[in-house]
Amino acid sequence: VKTNDMRFYHKLLKLSQDSSLKISFFSESQQIPDKNYDLIINTIENNENQLNDRTVYLNYDDLDSNIIPTLIGMIARNYTPKFQKLVIGIDPGEHIGIAAICDGMILSAQTVDLKFLIMTIEKFILSFPATKIYIRIGDQPPSISGVIFNKIFENFKPLDNVKLEMVKEAASNI
């Protein structure tokens, strides 16, 4: 992060504390060393000082809970070839199981609370860019799977490459 705005820096640092993102601070007057950095984040007020093609300019108001997965996804896209197919499997229940399978390889599997489900799906989509994305939700129990389906549909319906499916759990495998 290259900025003189300490409020901006501290907010970004706080948002990133539970992520794998490692942040270094540089003031506007400091030269960024030759050490390789995946991304340079600067405040939008300083966009006339174009640093390089890895520089992202943000407003303080851009810093919300979605910014860290977005930044991680930007870094991942620079180093990861695009997958052909991303399947996000969701197993509804008291503890929601969710897995990301890219071109047949399980890249992530975890349990999440409902309140973190959309953020986790966004993180998968950004971290594992794919030509086709399938979100498959198990149909049991119906009371929970219906809520999950509707929540995901509302958030991801604008994305053309995302297909949402309800699958029978009795005979399913991803």
Side-chain angles (χ1 to χ4, degrees):
V1 177
K2 185 171 176 106
T3 185
N4 287 332
D5 185 343
M6 294 309 290
R7 188 176 73 128
F8 178 90
Y9 172 69
H10 284 290
K11 186 171 183 183
L12 188 59
L13 194 61
K14 183 174 172 134
L15 288 167
S16 69
Q17 71 187 20
D18 294 329
S19 76
S20 60
L21 204 59
K22 304 247 185 290
I23 294 183
S24 299
F25 172 76
F26 299 95
S27 71
E28 287 297 329
S29 61
Q30 286 180 293
Q31 190 75 355
I32 295 179
D34 289 338
K35 182 178 176 182
N36 287 335
Y37 288 95
D38 295 314
L39 205 58
I40 298 169
I41 301 165
N42 203 332
T43 51
I44 198 132
E45 295 81 22
N46 296 313
N47 69 355
E48 69 277 352
N49 304 327
Q50 181 68 27
L51 298 173
N52 64 41
D53 60 348
R54 296 172 306 155
T55 304
V56 176
Y57 296 96
L58 300 171
N59 284 312
Y60 181 82
D61 294 336
D62 293 332
L63 303 179
D64 61 19
S65 61
N66 296 322
I67 196 65
I68 299 304
T70 301
L71 294 172
I72 291 170
M74 291 173 75
I75 293 166
R77 276 196 282 280
N78 287 331
Y79 296 102
T80 306
K82 196 172 210 181
F83 294 101
Q84 291 300 309
K85 181 178 175 182
L86 165 62
V87 177
I88 299 173
I90 299 172
D91 183 15
E94 184 179 338
H95 301 285
I96 300 167
I98 184 168
I101 299 98
C102 294
D103 296 339
M105 299 176 292
I106 299 173
L107 298 183
S108 182
Q110 61 194 66
T111 58
V112 296
D113 290 324
L114 182 60
K115 64 184 176 183
F116 297 115
L117 181 63
I118 297 301
M119 185 174 66
T120 303
I121 293 169
E122 289 172 344
K123 182 178 80 173
F124 286 169
I125 290 172
L126 292 170
S127 298
F128 311 121
T131 305
K132 296 178 185 171
I133 300 168
Y134 298 89
I135 302 175
R136 295 185 175 149
I137 305 163
D139 65 348
Q140 298 298 321
S143 59
I144 297 173
S145 61
V147 169
I148 290 172
F149 184 94
N150 291 333
K151 188 171 186 149
I152 293 170
F153 180 78
E154 285 302 312
N155 282 275
F156 296 100
K157 67 182 174 187
L159 301 177
D160 293 334
N161 65 332
V162 175
K163 184 175 180 186
L164 184 58
E165 304 172 335
M166 190 78 78
V167 296
K168 294 202 177 294
E169 284 196 39
S172 70
N173 64 29
I174 299 180

